[in-house]
Amino acid sequence: MKSLATILLIITCTNAFTGSICKRRILHQQPSINTRLQSSSSSSSASSSSSNSSDKSSRLPPPPSTFREAEVAGLRLMQDGRHEEALKAFQKAMSLPGSRPDILRTANVPGPSPVGGSTGGTQDRFVQNLDEFEFQAAHYNVACAHACLGNVGDAVNNLQKAFEYGFDNFATVRADPDLGSLEGTREFEALLKKWDPKSRGIMGLFGK
């Protein structure tokens, strides 16, 4: 993010039931994705410059339809320094389908049971919710955008939510330049003291 080459470090864990891969996204400095994003942007710019304004409008990418698509869009906006737009993209991402499949019960149905026996049943709908790693990434990204906009309280609140979902890479939190404006603030230091054992000194290693 910013002028640094910042990407998502993917840590995978196998789902024992489905064999699918859970992806934990943690911000980390590395140049490769920046190069890919810039190449993609350059290709888009070159393509756009060869067409007229009406062509450009018709070639605008569709709005994101999944958490991942909105997340990537937000990260690109952060790289470009468009923090308000990035914040909206990250917030939008939390309302879009994620990678965890689920069944949503929508209504009770009168009449014969679809499985036999007593009468009645339910109507169900298949949905894709966010998993815990996506919630971690979502709140972390929102925190970064708020920090860049100077919204200390909102940034700290979203960091806390990321921690509550299991994010525990406190070294990344300390080192991320997008969170630099939080360093030294009362709210930020209190949050890390609560969650990071190293922030509480040697006694903190033995529990909260």
Side-chain angles (χ1 to χ4, degrees):
M1 294 178 175
K2 291 192 174 180
S3 61
L4 297 176
T6 305
I7 70 158
L8 300 174
L9 175 65
I10 305 298
I11 300 175
T12 62
C13 61
T14 303
N15 184 317
F17 297 100
T18 65
S20 63
I21 299 299
C22 300
K23 297 180 179 179
R24 181 174 183 176
R25 301 168 180 85
I26 298 175
L27 295 173
H28 185 70
Q29 291 181 1
Q30 196 172 13
S32 58
I33 197 168
N34 246 3
T35 302
R36 292 197 297 272
L37 291 179
Q38 289 168 0
S39 297
S40 175
S41 297
S42 297
S43 299
S44 298
S45 298
S47 174
S48 297
S49 62
S50 64
S51 58
N52 57 36
S53 58
S54 61
D55 289 335
K56 290 179 182 178
S57 298
S58 64
R59 293 183 183 183
L60 286 176
S65 60
T66 66
F67 170 83
R68 181 59 180 154
E69 290 176 1
E71 181 188 42
V72 170
L75 291 171
R76 285 175 171 156
L77 290 166
M78 287 291 287
Q79 284 185 323
D80 292 340
R82 297 158 64 183
H83 301 130
E84 289 187 7
E85 293 173 77
L87 176 60
K88 292 178 181 178
F90 293 143
Q91 291 172 331
K92 176 67 176 177
M94 286 192 275
S95 67
L96 295 174
S99 61
R100 170 174 286 168
D102 202 356
I103 300 296
L104 180 66
R105 179 173 294 176
T106 57
N108 290 323
V109 181
S113 170
V115 295
S118 60
T119 60
T122 62
Q123 283 183 341
D124 301 318
R125 180 164 59 89
F126 178 79
V127 295
Q128 289 283 134
N129 292 322
L130 303 189
D131 65 21
E132 63 270 30
F133 305 115
E134 288 166 329
F135 274 118
Q136 289 175 30
H139 286 293
Y140 188 95
N141 290 335
V142 169
C144 287
H146 273 303
C148 289
L149 292 169
N151 305 328
V152 173
D154 289 325
V156 169
N157 287 341
N158 277 278
L159 272 182
Q160 174 160 317
K161 291 177 182 177
F163 296 162
E164 290 170 352
Y165 277 106
F167 184 85
D168 58 3
N169 194 326
F170 303 110
T172 293
V173 174
R174 286 285 192 189
D176 194 326
D178 287 327
L179 298 175
S181 65
L182 305 182
E183 195 74 28
T185 63
R186 177 179 54 82
E187 298 94 330
F188 181 69
E189 298 303 329
L191 180 69
L192 286 187
K193 186 175 181 180
K194 175 182 177 181
W195 287 91
D196 182 10
K198 292 182 180 179
S199 295
R200 300 193 297 273
I202 190 169
M203 295 305 296
L205 299 175
F206 298 97
K208 293 183 180 180

